[in-house]
Amino acid sequence: MQTLISPFVSHSLRLAPPLPRNSLLNNYHQASPIRLSSHFSTTSLRLFNSGAAAAASRDSEMTTEDGKDPRIAKIASSIRVIPDFPKPGIMFQDITTLLLDTEAFKDTIALFVERYQGRGISVVAGVEARGFIFGPPIALAIGAKFVPMRKPKKLPGKVISEEYSLEYGTDKMEMHVGAVEPGERAIIIDDLIATGGTLAAAIRLLERVGVKIVECACVIELPELKGKEKLGDAPLFVLVSSA
Ligand SMILES: O=P(O)(O)OC[C@H]1O[C@H](OP(=O)(O)OP(=O)(O)O)[C@H](O)[C@@H]1O
Ligand SMILES: Nc1ncnc2[nH]cnc12
């Protein structure tokens, strides 16, 4: 067994030994469509092979024989879909049910940690609110600092801000001045990418202060909304695609 979190955090959070780093990526490559459990929704989910994951899976160093990672299917099936929330026409992807499933939650964090450890990442930027759930355990496990990207007027210090539009509204994102240094390497974590406006704002904030975006990472992508196209050169890595 491997301790995921550094020793000053409870030893109760332990993970099974990680699979080789490449097994995750090839799993996406081979994945076939799956469905959410019927009591949640009939919305189909399929395992997703996005941007960087696709590129990496083409790299022979990043491939395995069977290409299957059962953790992804379990994570996908733990996500509940609520139609018409918060307004008609929106199929809301509810990750609170993933959080109730201790194995799915642990595996979600483990998959990201396996991908990002040892890559010289010093900043995990998490987008309020749901990026605050997934970002901190990843940051602790890979030895990076966690930087919150907050809604307006929440941070007490001097901030820089970026406005952006959402699938259902507009918003503004703020980050503390001095939280990051030019030249640092960051990943940006959120639960979901829809239109991509939120992640694009986070990228702009970090790039304004000279931070290199190694990758954006989400649990879920809504590919029909083409959010990936808003991310410029920043790669996107997701676990589950909702169709
Ligand atoms: O790709 P986009 O179209 O920008 O949308 C994605 C964002 O929308 C959701 O957050 P939301 O703004 O609803 O805030 P919340 O997490 O505080 O509920 C989600 O958690 C992402 O942050
Ligand atoms: N469909 C959706 N489900 C959950 N969060 C979202 N944020 C933007 N669109 C969303």
PDB file of all heavy atoms in Angstrom, residues 18-41:
ATOM      1  N   PRO A  18      -0.491   2.273  -7.291  1.00  0.00           N
ATOM      2  CA  PRO A  18      -0.961   2.766  -8.575  1.00  0.00           C
ATOM      3  C   PRO A  18      -0.591   1.823  -9.710  1.00  0.00           C
ATOM      4  O   PRO A  18       0.447   1.167  -9.649  1.00  0.00           O
ATOM      5  CB  PRO A  18      -0.251   4.102  -8.719  1.00  0.00           C
ATOM      6  CG  PRO A  18       0.914   4.027  -7.803  1.00  0.00           C
ATOM      7  CD  PRO A  18       0.543   3.091  -6.697  1.00  0.00           C
ATOM      8  N   LEU A  19      -1.450   1.785 -10.707  1.00  0.00           N
ATOM      9  CA  LEU A  19      -1.101   1.053 -11.914  1.00  0.00           C
ATOM     10  C   LEU A  19       0.015   1.812 -12.611  1.00  0.00           C
ATOM     11  O   LEU A  19       0.237   2.983 -12.340  1.00  0.00           O
ATOM     12  CB  LEU A  19      -2.315   0.975 -12.842  1.00  0.00           C
ATOM     13  CG  LEU A  19      -3.481   0.152 -12.316  1.00  0.00           C
ATOM     14  CD1 LEU A  19      -4.632   0.234 -13.291  1.00  0.00           C
ATOM     15  CD2 LEU A  19      -3.063  -1.286 -12.117  1.00  0.00           C
ATOM     16  N   PRO A  20       0.720   1.166 -13.520  1.00  0.00           N
ATOM     17  CA  PRO A  20       1.713   1.920 -14.281  1.00  0.00           C
ATOM     18  C   PRO A  20       1.036   3.124 -14.914  1.00  0.00           C
ATOM     19  O   PRO A  20      -0.125   3.056 -15.312  1.00  0.00           O
ATOM     20  CB  PRO A  20       2.165   0.920 -15.341  1.00  0.00           C
ATOM     21  CG  PRO A  20       1.813  -0.416 -14.789  1.00  0.00           C
ATOM     22  CD  PRO A  20       0.632  -0.214 -13.902  1.00  0.00           C
ATOM     23  N   ARG A  21       1.778   4.241 -14.992  1.00  0.00           N
ATOM     24  CA  ARG A  21       1.209   5.496 -15.457  1.00  0.00           C
ATOM     25  C   ARG A  21       0.533   5.348 -16.817  1.00  0.00           C
ATOM     26  O   ARG A  21      -0.490   5.936 -17.086  1.00  0.00           O
ATOM     27  CB  ARG A  21       2.319   6.536 -15.537  1.00  0.00           C
ATOM     28  CG  ARG A  21       1.836   7.949 -15.528  1.00  0.00           C
ATOM     29  CD  ARG A  21       2.942   8.844 -15.063  1.00  0.00           C
ATOM     30  NE  ARG A  21       3.962   8.978 -16.079  1.00  0.00           N
ATOM     31  CZ  ARG A  21       4.286  10.145 -16.632  1.00  0.00           C
ATOM     32  NH1 ARG A  21       3.670  11.220 -16.294  1.00  0.00           N
ATOM     33  NH2 ARG A  21       5.237  10.209 -17.522  1.00  0.00           N
ATOM     34  N   ASN A  22       1.074   4.516 -17.663  1.00  0.00           N
ATOM     35  CA  ASN A  22       0.549   4.415 -19.013  1.00  0.00           C
ATOM     36  C   ASN A  22      -0.782   3.664 -19.089  1.00  0.00           C
ATOM     37  O   ASN A  22      -1.527   3.828 -20.025  1.00  0.00           O
ATOM     38  CB  ASN A  22       1.571   3.753 -19.927  1.00  0.00           C
ATOM     39  CG  ASN A  22       2.084   2.453 -19.384  1.00  0.00           C
ATOM     40  OD1 ASN A  22       1.479   1.890 -18.481  1.00  0.00           O
ATOM     41  ND2 ASN A  22       3.178   1.968 -19.927  1.00  0.00           N
ATOM     42  N   SER A  23      -1.098   2.840 -18.097  1.00  0.00           N
ATOM     43  CA  SER A  23      -2.310   2.034 -18.198  1.00  0.00           C
ATOM     44  C   SER A  23      -3.543   2.909 -18.239  1.00  0.00           C
ATOM     45  O   SER A  23      -4.517   2.601 -18.898  1.00  0.00           O
ATOM     46  CB  SER A  23      -2.398   1.062 -17.027  1.00  0.00           C
ATOM     47  OG  SER A  23      -2.514   1.778 -15.820  1.00  0.00           O
ATOM     48  N   LEU A  24      -3.526   4.013 -17.523  1.00  0.00           N
ATOM     49  CA  LEU A  24      -4.661   4.913 -17.520  1.00  0.00           C
ATOM     50  C   LEU A  24      -4.926   5.462 -18.912  1.00  0.00           C
ATOM     51  O   LEU A  24      -6.044   5.464 -19.401  1.00  0.00           O
ATOM     52  CB  LEU A  24      -4.377   6.069 -16.559  1.00  0.00           C
ATOM     53  CG  LEU A  24      -5.310   7.266 -16.673  1.00  0.00           C
ATOM     54  CD1 LEU A  24      -6.712   6.856 -16.290  1.00  0.00           C
ATOM     55  CD2 LEU A  24      -4.817   8.386 -15.785  1.00  0.00           C
ATOM     56  N   LEU A  25      -3.879   5.914 -19.542  1.00  0.00           N
ATOM     57  CA  LEU A  25      -4.060   6.573 -20.825  1.00  0.00           C
ATOM     58  C   LEU A  25      -4.536   5.608 -21.880  1.00  0.00           C
ATOM     59  O   LEU A  25      -5.429   5.910 -22.655  1.00  0.00           O
ATOM     60  CB  LEU A  25      -2.740   7.220 -21.241  1.00  0.00           C
ATOM     61  CG  LEU A  25      -2.258   8.240 -20.217  1.00  0.00           C
ATOM     62  CD1 LEU A  25      -0.863   8.707 -20.568  1.00  0.00           C
ATOM     63  CD2 LEU A  25      -3.210   9.398 -20.154  1.00  0.00           C
ATOM     64  N   ASN A  26      -3.971   4.421 -21.881  1.00  0.00           N
ATOM     65  CA  ASN A  26      -4.403   3.480 -22.892  1.00  0.00           C
ATOM     66  C   ASN A  26      -5.842   3.033 -22.645  1.00  0.00           C
ATOM     67  O   ASN A  26      -6.574   2.710 -23.574  1.00  0.00           O
ATOM     68  CB  ASN A  26      -3.476   2.280 -22.925  1.00  0.00           C
ATOM     69  CG  ASN A  26      -3.586   1.540 -24.218  1.00  0.00           C
ATOM     70  OD1 ASN A  26      -3.646   2.167 -25.270  1.00  0.00           O
ATOM     71  ND2 ASN A  26      -3.635   0.239 -24.145  1.00  0.00           N
ATOM     72  N   ASN A  27      -6.234   3.040 -21.408  1.00  0.00           N
ATOM     73  CA  ASN A  27      -7.609   2.706 -21.096  1.00  0.00           C
ATOM     74  C   ASN A  27      -8.562   3.613 -21.858  1.00  0.00           C
ATOM     75  O   ASN A  27      -9.551   3.188 -22.428  1.00  0.00           O
ATOM     76  CB  ASN A  27      -7.841   2.854 -19.589  1.00  0.00           C
ATOM     77  CG  ASN A  27      -9.287   2.618 -19.229  1.00  0.00           C
ATOM     78  OD1 ASN A  27      -9.833   1.599 -19.601  1.00  0.00           O
ATOM     79  ND2 ASN A  27      -9.876   3.557 -18.549  1.00  0.00           N
ATOM     80  N   TYR A  28      -8.267   4.896 -21.901  1.00  0.00           N
ATOM     81  CA  TYR A  28      -9.135   5.817 -22.633  1.00  0.00           C
ATOM     82  C   TYR A  28      -9.167   5.433 -24.103  1.00  0.00           C
ATOM     83  O   TYR A  28     -10.187   5.475 -24.756  1.00  0.00           O
ATOM     84  CB  TYR A  28      -8.614   7.241 -22.535  1.00  0.00           C
ATOM     85  CG  TYR A  28      -8.513   7.777 -21.148  1.00  0.00           C
ATOM     86  CD1 TYR A  28      -7.613   8.757 -20.850  1.00  0.00           C
ATOM     87  CD2 TYR A  28      -9.320   7.284 -20.130  1.00  0.00           C
ATOM     88  CE1 TYR A  28      -7.504   9.260 -19.582  1.00  0.00           C
ATOM     89  CE2 TYR A  28      -9.223   7.786 -18.865  1.00  0.00           C
ATOM     90  CZ  TYR A  28      -8.305   8.769 -18.595  1.00  0.00           C
ATOM     91  OH  TYR A  28      -8.191   9.253 -17.340  1.00  0.00           O
ATOM     92  N   HIS A  29      -8.006   5.097 -24.593  1.00  0.00           N
ATOM     93  CA  HIS A  29      -7.886   4.808 -26.008  1.00  0.00           C
ATOM     94  C   HIS A  29      -8.796   3.651 -26.403  1.00  0.00           C
ATOM     95  O   HIS A  29      -9.390   3.650 -27.470  1.00  0.00           O
ATOM     96  CB  HIS A  29      -6.430   4.466 -26.297  1.00  0.00           C
ATOM     97  CG  HIS A  29      -6.079   4.528 -27.729  1.00  0.00           C
ATOM     98  ND1 HIS A  29      -6.127   5.712 -28.430  1.00  0.00           N
ATOM     99  CD2 HIS A  29      -5.675   3.578 -28.581  1.00  0.00           C
ATOM    100  CE1 HIS A  29      -5.769   5.469 -29.674  1.00  0.00           C
ATOM    101  NE2 HIS A  29      -5.486   4.192 -29.792  1.00  0.00           N
ATOM    102  N   GLN A  30      -8.905   2.657 -25.516  1.00  0.00           N
ATOM    103  CA  GLN A  30      -9.653   1.442 -25.829  1.00  0.00           C
ATOM    104  C   GLN A  30     -11.096   1.491 -25.364  1.00  0.00           C
ATOM    105  O   GLN A  30     -11.850   0.579 -25.613  1.00  0.00           O
ATOM    106  CB  GLN A  30      -8.987   0.253 -25.127  1.00  0.00           C
ATOM    107  CG  GLN A  30      -7.543   0.025 -25.527  1.00  0.00           C
ATOM    108  CD  GLN A  30      -7.437  -0.555 -26.903  1.00  0.00           C
ATOM    109  OE1 GLN A  30      -8.330  -1.254 -27.336  1.00  0.00           O
ATOM    110  NE2 GLN A  30      -6.367  -0.259 -27.602  1.00  0.00           N
ATOM    111  N   ALA A  31     -11.462   2.533 -24.645  1.00  0.00           N
ATOM    112  CA  ALA A  31     -12.739   2.498 -23.929  1.00  0.00           C
ATOM    113  C   ALA A  31     -13.935   2.455 -24.863  1.00  0.00           C
ATOM    114  O   ALA A  31     -13.929   3.025 -25.930  1.00  0.00           O
ATOM    115  CB  ALA A  31     -12.853   3.726 -23.044  1.00  0.00           C
ATOM    116  N   SER A  32     -14.968   1.753 -24.411  1.00  0.00           N
ATOM    117  CA  SER A  32     -16.215   1.705 -25.155  1.00  0.00           C
ATOM    118  C   SER A  32     -17.305   2.394 -24.347  1.00  0.00           C
ATOM    119  O   SER A  32     -17.163   2.611 -23.154  1.00  0.00           O
ATOM    120  CB  SER A  32     -16.586   0.254 -25.423  1.00  0.00           C
ATOM    121  OG  SER A  32     -16.555  -0.456 -24.222  1.00  0.00           O
ATOM    122  N   PRO A  33     -18.432   2.750 -24.991  1.00  0.00           N
ATOM    123  CA  PRO A  33     -19.455   3.526 -24.289  1.00  0.00           C
ATOM    124  C   PRO A  33     -19.985   2.803 -23.062  1.00  0.00           C
ATOM    125  O   PRO A  33     -20.125   1.584 -23.054  1.00  0.00           O
ATOM    126  CB  PRO A  33     -20.549   3.683 -25.336  1.00  0.00           C
ATOM    127  CG  PRO A  33     -19.858   3.500 -26.625  1.00  0.00           C
ATOM    128  CD  PRO A  33     -18.758   2.523 -26.366  1.00  0.00           C
ATOM    129  N   ILE A  34     -20.293   3.594 -22.027  1.00  0.00           N
ATOM    130  CA  ILE A  34     -20.938   3.053 -20.840  1.00  0.00           C
ATOM    131  C   ILE A  34     -22.102   3.956 -20.488  1.00  0.00           C
ATOM    132  O   ILE A  34     -22.214   5.059 -20.989  1.00  0.00           O
ATOM    133  CB  ILE A  34     -19.968   2.976 -19.644  1.00  0.00           C
ATOM    134  CG1 ILE A  34     -19.383   4.371 -19.376  1.00  0.00           C
ATOM    135  CG2 ILE A  34     -18.881   1.964 -19.887  1.00  0.00           C
ATOM    136  CD1 ILE A  34     -18.588   4.402 -18.102  1.00  0.00           C
ATOM    137  N   ARG A  35     -22.966   3.458 -19.591  1.00  0.00           N
ATOM    138  CA  ARG A  35     -24.135   4.253 -19.223  1.00  0.00           C
ATOM    139  C   ARG A  35     -24.175   4.483 -17.730  1.00  0.00           C
ATOM    140  O   ARG A  35     -23.733   3.641 -16.960  1.00  0.00           O
ATOM    141  CB  ARG A  35     -25.419   3.527 -19.634  1.00  0.00           C
ATOM    142  CG  ARG A  35     -25.630   3.574 -21.123  1.00  0.00           C
ATOM    143  CD  ARG A  35     -27.029   3.128 -21.480  1.00  0.00           C
ATOM    144  NE  ARG A  35     -27.386   3.632 -22.775  1.00  0.00           N
ATOM    145  CZ  ARG A  35     -27.968   4.811 -22.987  1.00  0.00           C
ATOM    146  NH1 ARG A  35     -28.289   5.582 -21.985  1.00  0.00           N
ATOM    147  NH2 ARG A  35     -28.243   5.215 -24.191  1.00  0.00           N
ATOM    148  N   LEU A  36     -24.763   5.608 -17.355  1.00  0.00           N
ATOM    149  CA  LEU A  36     -24.990   5.849 -15.944  1.00  0.00           C
ATOM    150  C   LEU A  36     -25.998   4.841 -15.425  1.00  0.00           C
ATOM    151  O   LEU A  36     -26.873   4.406 -16.149  1.00  0.00           O
ATOM    152  CB  LEU A  36     -25.568   7.252 -15.728  1.00  0.00           C
ATOM    153  CG  LEU A  36     -24.602   8.400 -15.935  1.00  0.00           C
ATOM    154  CD1 LEU A  36     -25.349   9.707 -15.801  1.00  0.00           C
ATOM    155  CD2 LEU A  36     -23.505   8.332 -14.914  1.00  0.00           C
ATOM    156  N   SER A  37     -25.896   4.503 -14.138  1.00  0.00           N
ATOM    157  CA  SER A  37     -26.862   3.579 -13.565  1.00  0.00           C
ATOM    158  C   SER A  37     -28.260   4.175 -13.669  1.00  0.00           C
ATOM    159  O   SER A  37     -28.450   5.374 -13.558  1.00  0.00           O
ATOM    160  CB  SER A  37     -26.503   3.278 -12.119  1.00  0.00           C
ATOM    161  OG  SER A  37     -26.339   4.473 -11.411  1.00  0.00           O
ATOM    162  N   SER A  38     -29.247   3.317 -13.876  1.00  0.00           N
ATOM    163  CA  SER A  38     -30.568   3.779 -14.277  1.00  0.00           C
ATOM    164  C   SER A  38     -31.253   4.655 -13.234  1.00  0.00           C
ATOM    165  O   SER A  38     -32.028   5.526 -13.571  1.00  0.00           O
ATOM    166  CB  SER A  38     -31.455   2.580 -14.592  1.00  0.00           C
ATOM    167  OG  SER A  38     -31.495   1.752 -13.461  1.00  0.00           O
ATOM    168  N   HIS A  39     -30.955   4.460 -11.957  1.00  0.00           N
ATOM    169  CA  HIS A  39     -31.637   5.304 -10.991  1.00  0.00           C
ATOM    170  C   HIS A  39     -31.089   6.726 -10.982  1.00  0.00           C
ATOM    171  O   HIS A  39     -31.664   7.622 -10.408  1.00  0.00           O
ATOM    172  CB  HIS A  39     -31.610   4.697  -9.582  1.00  0.00           C
ATOM    173  CG  HIS A  39     -30.278   4.759  -8.913  1.00  0.00           C
ATOM    174  ND1 HIS A  39     -29.271   3.870  -9.215  1.00  0.00           N
ATOM    175  CD2 HIS A  39     -29.787   5.588  -7.964  1.00  0.00           C
ATOM    176  CE1 HIS A  39     -28.218   4.149  -8.453  1.00  0.00           C
ATOM    177  NE2 HIS A  39     -28.502   5.184  -7.693  1.00  0.00           N
ATOM    178  N   PHE A  40     -29.967   6.924 -11.647  1.00  0.00           N
ATOM    179  CA  PHE A  40     -29.452   8.277 -11.768  1.00  0.00           C
ATOM    180  C   PHE A  40     -29.962   8.944 -13.035  1.00  0.00           C
ATOM    181  O   PHE A  40     -30.548   9.986 -13.006  1.00  0.00           O
ATOM    182  CB  PHE A  40     -27.918   8.267 -11.770  1.00  0.00           C
ATOM    183  CG  PHE A  40     -27.313   8.052 -10.420  1.00  0.00           C
ATOM    184  CD1 PHE A  40     -26.061   7.490 -10.302  1.00  0.00           C
ATOM    185  CD2 PHE A  40     -27.988   8.420  -9.271  1.00  0.00           C
ATOM    186  CE1 PHE A  40     -25.483   7.318  -9.059  1.00  0.00           C
ATOM    187  CE2 PHE A  40     -27.419   8.250  -8.031  1.00  0.00           C
ATOM    188  CZ  PHE A  40     -26.170   7.686  -7.924  1.00  0.00           C
ATOM    189  N   SER A  41     -29.734   8.327 -14.165  1.00  0.00           N
ATOM    190  CA  SER A  41     -30.066   8.994 -15.412  1.00  0.00           C
ATOM    191  C   SER A  41     -29.904   8.021 -16.571  1.00  0.00           C
ATOM    192  O   SER A  41     -29.210   7.021 -16.472  1.00  0.00           O
ATOM    193  CB  SER A  41     -29.115  10.170 -15.624  1.00  0.00           C
ATOM    194  OG  SER A  41     -29.176  10.629 -16.933  1.00  0.00           O
TER     195      SER A  41
END
